[in-house]
Amino acid sequence: MDQQEIIDQTATFIKKQLSGESSGHDWWHVYRVWKSAVHIGKQEQTNLFVVELAALLHDIADWKFHDGNDEVGPQRAAEWLQTLHVDDATIAHVCDIIRHISFKGAGVTTAMQTIEGKVVQDADRLDAIGAIGIARTFAYGGSKGREMYNPDVSPLLHDSFEAYKQNQSHTINHFYEKLLLLKERMNTATARQLAEQRHRVMEDYLNQFYREWDGEA
Ligand code: ADP
Ligand code: NI
C-alpha cells in the first residue's frame, strides 16, 4: 500500500469512528487539524506522512473519555497502523506525538521533541482558539452539563495534569485556564501568526460577553 492509500484509509477509518461526536472532538475537528497541519508542515522541513497520520489519529481515544488514561490513544493508533503494515519507526513516531499532544494545565509543559510533533500540536491548538475554538468550548461545556458562566467562580491556573483533569468549572473559565494561553505556546512561526488573529477574536468576544452580562451592551 502506498503512503497516499494509507492516509486515505486512515481518514475513512477515523471519520467512521468519530462522526456524530458532539463534544468538539468530532471528525470535523480532526479534518481541520489535518488540513492546518499540512499547511503548517509545508512551511517547515517535515516528514508529511508522519504529520498527516498523527493529525488524523491524534484524537482516536482521548484521555478525557477514558477515565484519564492517556495510553489508550497511542495503543489504538498503533494497532490501526499495524493492520496497514506501516513501518515500526513511523508507528513509534506517530504514537509519540499522540502521547504528548494534549494540553495538561497552565503550569505543565508539554514539549514536543520533533518538528512533526510541533506542527501537529500547533494545528490542534489553533483549532482550540478563534471563532471555532469558542464554539467548541461551549459545545464541550454543554456536553458536560456545565454552567456557561458564573461570576462567583474564578479561573485556576493548574500546575499539575491531575488538577487540570479534575476541573469542573464553568466554560468561561476555560478561556483563562487554557485558550488564552495558547498563542504564546505555538511552536512554529506560521502557527504563531495565525494564532494572533484568532486570539484577538476571543478577547473581543469575552469583552462583549461581560458587557452583555451586566446589561451594558
Ligand atoms: P487538547 O487538544 O490539548 O487535548 P482538549 O482535548 O483538552 O485539548 O480540549 C479540546 C477542546 O475541548 C478545548 O479546546 C475546548 O474547546 C474543549 N474543552 C476541553 N476541556 C474543556 C473544559 N474544561 N471546558 C470547556 N471546554 C473544554
Ligand atoms: Ni484534537
Side-chain angles (χ1 to χ4, degrees):
M1 205 182 296
D2 70 15
Q3 292 192 342
Q4 192 54 52
E5 259 174 276
I6 292 170
I7 289 166
D8 292 346
Q9 287 218 15
T10 302
T12 306
F13 166 69
I14 288 294
K15 187 172 181 180
K16 212 181 290 164
Q17 292 245 318
L18 298 183
S19 61
E21 213 279 343
S22 62
S23 76
H25 295 76
D26 56 321
W27 158 249
W28 294 112
H29 161 63
V30 172
Y31 171 85
R32 294 186 299 268
V33 171
W34 178 28
K35 297 296 155 183
S36 314
V38 170
H39 172 72
I40 301 166
K42 283 186 175 162
Q43 318 298 315
E44 310 282 332
Q45 285 287 336
T46 54
N47 176 339
L48 273 181
F49 184 51
V50 169
V51 166
E52 292 197 62
L53 289 179
L56 284 167
L57 291 164
H58 84 276
D59 269 338
I60 187 171
D62 196 287
W63 57 263
K64 282 188 293 315
F65 308 104
H66 290 88
D67 297 325
N69 185 346
D70 53 1
E71 268 307 310
V72 182
Q75 249 167 42
R76 297 251 171 98
E79 282 161 20
W80 166 252
L81 294 174
Q82 275 153 8
T83 65
L84 300 181
H85 307 291
V86 172
D87 66 280
D88 289 346
T90 300
I91 296 180
H93 192 169
V94 168
C95 290
D96 197 56
I97 294 174
I98 298 171
R99 196 171 289 117
H100 293 111
I101 195 165
S102 239
F103 183 85
K104 296 192 164 71
V108 186
T109 46
T110 41
M112 276 290 182
Q113 299 300 323
T114 64
I115 185 64
E116 288 78 11
K118 290 177 202 255
V119 165
V120 179
Q121 189 174 51
D122 278 359
D124 193 29
R125 288 178 169 178
L126 279 172
D127 204 53
I129 62 178
I132 287 177
I134 294 169
R136 287 180 70 211
T137 301
F138 285 102
Y140 181 94
S143 81
K144 295 279 174 184
R146 304 224 173 120
E147 278 184 313
M148 189 166 75
Y149 177 49
N150 182 340
D152 297 334
V153 183
S154 306
L156 293 170
L157 295 178
H158 307 101
D159 54 11
S160 80
F161 186 32
E162 284 310 311
Y164 178 71
K165 269 196 272 200
Q166 301 299 329
N167 182 29
Q168 301 278 326
S169 186
H170 63 80
T171 299
I172 286 290
N173 272 351
H174 195 63
F175 286 84
Y176 300 94
E177 291 167 357
K178 174 182 174 186
L179 309 185
L180 293 166
L181 308 175
L182 294 179
K183 175 171 74 83
E184 297 303 323
R185 298 184 187 205
M186 293 294 163
N187 302 302
T188 64
T190 311
R192 218 167 298 132
Q193 205 180 356
L194 292 168
E196 292 284 341
Q197 157 83 9
R198 296 187 189 203
H199 187 89
R200 271 196 300 277
V201 168
M202 293 193 293
E203 285 180 333
D204 291 348
Y205 176 82
L206 288 169
N207 284 335
Q208 177 70 14
F209 187 100
Y210 297 129
R211 293 183 60 211
E212 292 180 16
W213 193 269
D214 287 322
E216 289 168 9

